[in-house]
Amino acid sequence: MKVKLIISHFLITAIIITLISVNDFSEKGYLATFFFSLFLYLLSGYIATNTNKIMLFDTFIIAIIGTIIWLLCYISSPNDFNYKGHNGGSWFFYQLYIMVNSPLNFVDNISNYFNTSKAIRLTSDLIFPFIFSLFQCCGAIIKQRILKMITHK
């Protein structure tokens, strides 16, 4: 299940990058893309589950990997994470990992994200993999409940 969820994370990221690259979105379009990606995470958790028992560690693997990458990035570049200015070092790779959270990060003419306080930026970047994992967990729980209803009839 863990491997399926990790693969689905990268597939969802590829889908979102493709959507952004072929469409010229407004802010509403980016917001719709974000909610569509959350639906895809819910669906991936549903599809990846095929047993009646769910291990939370399995469904939160995206958050665990994201936290490890976030820590490595913070250790390597704790003061500057402006990867667009070529000073952020490894933060570029973390932004690719959590690309789904804010496609606006990769639009060149939007710079408000880099003007936010360091604490807000670091906290929000750390929270998003947990949101993705939470949606995958919800999808797995839905599938588990459906499987229990089918087997108890």
Side-chain angles (χ1 to χ4, degrees):
M1 180 174 173
K2 288 182 276 191
V3 174
K4 289 180 185 178
L5 293 174
I6 293 169
I7 291 171
S8 69
H9 171 73
F10 290 110
L11 284 173
I12 292 168
T13 301
I15 290 168
I16 298 305
I17 290 171
T18 303
L19 279 174
I20 292 168
S21 64
V22 298
N23 292 313
D24 188 23
F25 288 132
S26 63
E27 286 185 27
K28 290 180 183 177
Y30 286 116
L31 190 59
T33 303
F34 176 69
F35 286 118
F36 176 67
S37 68
L38 292 180
F39 169 74
L40 290 176
Y41 277 105
L42 185 76
L43 186 63
S44 71
Y46 182 86
I47 292 171
T49 304
N50 52 6
T51 64
N52 286 336
K53 291 187 178 185
I54 297 173
M55 301 288 291
L56 282 181
F57 177 77
D58 289 349
T59 57
F60 278 86
I61 192 69
I62 301 302
I64 293 167
I65 293 171
T67 303
I68 291 169
I69 295 171
W70 184 91
L71 285 171
L72 291 173
C73 291
Y74 185 74
I75 290 168
S76 70
S77 181
N79 296 320
D80 190 9
F81 37 78
N82 184 357
Y83 59 90
K84 287 186 178 181
H86 305 292
N87 298 327
S90 56
W91 286 105
F92 174 76
F93 298 107
Y94 185 74
Q95 290 301 320
L96 280 177
Y97 184 75
I98 63 167
M99 167 42 172
V100 178
N101 80 320
S102 180
L104 300 176
N105 291 343
F106 289 88
V107 178
D108 289 334
N109 59 359
I110 297 174
S111 60
N112 292 337
Y113 188 66
F114 295 108
N115 295 331
T116 59
S117 74
K118 180 180 175 182
I120 292 172
R121 172 85 190 277
L122 289 173
T123 305
S124 68
D125 281 354
L126 182 60
I127 288 172
F128 275 104
F130 287 94
I131 293 171
F132 304 152
S133 291
L134 181 65
F135 273 81
Q136 285 182 326
C137 184
C138 288
I141 290 170
I142 291 168
K143 178 80 171 260
Q144 177 190 25
R145 302 266 167 120
I146 290 172
L147 288 175
K148 280 184 180 181
M149 285 191 311
I150 291 172
T151 57
H152 289 293
K153 283 190 173 185

